[in-house]
Amino acid sequence: MPSVVMITGASGNLGRALAAAFEANGGSVALVDRRRDRLEAAYGAEGDRLFLAADLTDPDAVEAAAQAAMDRHGQIDVLCNIAGGFRMGPPVHETPPADFDFMFGINTRTVVNTARAVVPRMLAAGRGKIVNVGAFGALKGAAHMGAYIASKSAVIRLTESMAAELRERNINVNCVLPTTLDTPENRAAMPEADPAKWVAPADLANVIVFLASDTARAIHGAAIPVTGLS
């Protein structure tokens, strides 16, 4: 199991599940979120973990976070890009440019910015694993979700492109495509739905940990659906 894992969007439900899964396998985690107080609320005292506050849409802030992880641990073995967001919207022809900018900012540019900061360090080390979080819904278009679907679809294509560029350099790049996660927030927002059909964050975390393991060393550029019973 890799020893140093950088997780973006780490204060959320999936971030906490993922940090716990990597730590259970002996990994050290560098946890990135927009504000440090969110990480403190999610995890309590920093302890052996590394808390990193960074606006992932700001390349300089991401570079500083990656350098801080290197300063502490000397390496970044795994990058898990789980930061992002969902928003319904108007029809595509009525969607304001700012809405497209927002969706592509949090879902797509965050991936590009972390890659720019972390991949050179992985290349220098001669190894690495990157796992991005796309969305199962991004496999086809749907009404009132154009900006979101486009931004998450771009994550899939970026994953494939990065895998083609890095597979010969001993860096695996893959992504997962979850459906609805079973979180308190989603239960509150959809009280009539059956959460038993959703994906538990711990289950999605296990898939990500697998992709970050040496067992998955032959997998490059995959977009793996994680759909539960939905």
Side-chain angles (χ1 to χ4, degrees):
M1 179 58 58
S3 57
V4 180
V5 184
M6 176 177 280
I7 302 171
T8 70
S11 71
N13 295 284
L14 178 57
R16 295 195 301 272
L18 193 54
F22 276 113
E23 288 178 325
N25 283 279
S28 298
V29 293
L31 305 174
V32 186
D33 212 279
R34 190 177 183 89
R35 298 202 316 263
R36 182 182 177 89
D37 63 322
R38 292 181 180 175
L39 294 167
E40 293 170 345
Y43 295 93
E46 187 172 23
D48 293 333
R49 304 180 182 103
L50 176 61
F51 290 172
L52 298 167
D55 177 355
L56 295 173
T57 66
D58 179 351
D60 291 338
V62 178
E63 171 63 27
Q67 186 58 51
M70 294 293 292
D71 291 343
R72 166 75 74 87
H73 296 292
Q75 63 196 63
I76 300 172
D77 299 299
V78 176
L79 170 63
C80 296
N81 282 311
I82 69 172
F86 170 80
R87 179 184 290 177
M88 296 290 289
V92 170
H93 68 280
E94 296 178 359
T95 302
D99 288 6
F100 279 103
D101 290 344
F102 176 74
M103 283 285 100
F104 274 85
I106 64 173
N107 289 327
T108 310
R109 292 193 186 97
T110 53
V111 172
V112 175
N113 288 343
T114 56
R116 184 181 291 112
V118 174
V119 168
R121 292 170 165 94
M122 289 182 170
L123 288 170
R127 66 186 185 280
K129 309 280 187 181
I130 299 173
V131 185
N132 301 320
V133 175
F136 186 73
L139 293 176
K140 63 178 182 179
H144 302 289
M145 297 172 61
Y148 170 76
I149 288 174
S151 67
K152 283 294 191 179
S153 179
V155 171
I156 302 173
R157 302 287 87 84
L158 286 170
T159 297
E160 295 166 346
S161 297
M162 291 174 63
E165 294 160 354
L166 299 172
R167 61 188 299 166
E168 302 291 342
R169 307 293 296 275
N170 200 32
I171 298 174
N172 297 69
V173 187
N174 296 287
C175 67
V176 292
L177 308 179
T179 50
T180 304
L181 295 184
D182 184 5
T183 66
E185 294 81 3
N186 284 336
R187 288 191 180 213
M190 295 175 277
E192 302 302 319
D194 180 4
K197 296 183 177 181
W198 297 345
V199 177
D203 291 337
L204 181 56
N206 287 337
V207 178
I208 294 173
V209 170
F210 163 71
L211 289 173
S213 72
D214 287 339
T215 305
R217 62 184 176 273
I219 303 175
H220 298 273
I224 299 179
V226 185
T227 62
L229 300 177
S230 58

